[in-house]
Amino acid sequence: MQLKKSLAFFALLCVSFWSQALTLAPYSAAAFTKLQTAGEAVTLHFRADWCPTCRAQDKALESLKADPDLKLTILLVDYDKETELKKQLNVRSQSTFVVYRGKVETARQIGATAPDAIRKTLSTSL
């Protein structure tokens, strides 16, 4: 299982390096720690499949994937399953973005669905 996670993380980094644009990947504590330790721009997107706002955010993120200026990784956090992480980061609502540059939080946004608003928030980590 650990090998599978390591290979998935390596693939994530390769895709991120080659595409030089926004990368979406499932959340794992290991991936988050590695990106933070490397000083990378990383965003946690607390989302739920049942949330209509989250689905609208997913569409906005898909439209931003090709933006060459958004060189960062977004880790998709299952709002319903990651209860301890929510407590640790004081996340009280699904559809929340928590943006980091390394280990420093640079922005937080709840409920935004417009691509330009999301882009502005994500750009705080660049």
Side-chain angles (χ1 to χ4, degrees):
M1 186 63 143
Q2 185 63 27
L3 177 61
K4 185 177 178 181
K5 286 182 180 179
S6 294
L7 289 173
F9 180 70
F10 178 72
L12 168 76
L13 289 179
C14 289
V15 168
S16 180
F17 176 76
W18 287 320
S19 67
Q20 295 297 303
L22 182 124
T23 302
L24 303 173
Y27 168 81
S28 78
F32 183 50
T33 299
K34 286 180 182 180
L35 289 165
Q36 281 193 305
T37 301
E40 297 291 327
V42 60
T43 297
L44 299 178
H45 180 207
F46 288 84
R47 59 170 316 287
D49 290 337
W50 50 263
C51 170
T53 302
C54 299
R55 288 194 299 269
Q57 289 174 327
D58 291 343
K59 289 179 185 176
L61 292 173
E62 283 298 319
S63 75
L64 294 172
K65 278 175 116 174
D67 186 334
D69 295 328
L70 288 178
K71 298 174 186 172
L72 62 107
T73 300
I74 297 179
L75 298 176
L76 306 172
V77 181
D78 186 320
Y79 182 81
D80 296 321
K81 292 182 181 175
E82 295 294 340
T83 55
E84 202 53 45
L85 183 61
K86 287 189 313 193
K87 287 179 190 175
Q88 178 186 353
L89 299 178
N90 198 29
V91 172
R92 297 175 187 239
S93 177
Q94 71 279 0
S95 72
T96 299
F97 292 101
V98 184
V99 184
Y100 293 90
R101 179 65 181 195
K103 295 183 179 184
V104 177
E105 183 178 328
T106 61
R108 191 174 284 229
Q109 185 178 53
I110 302 168
T113 58
D116 288 340
I118 294 171
R119 179 187 293 110
K120 183 176 179 181
T121 298
L122 298 177
S123 295
T124 65
S125 67
L126 302 174

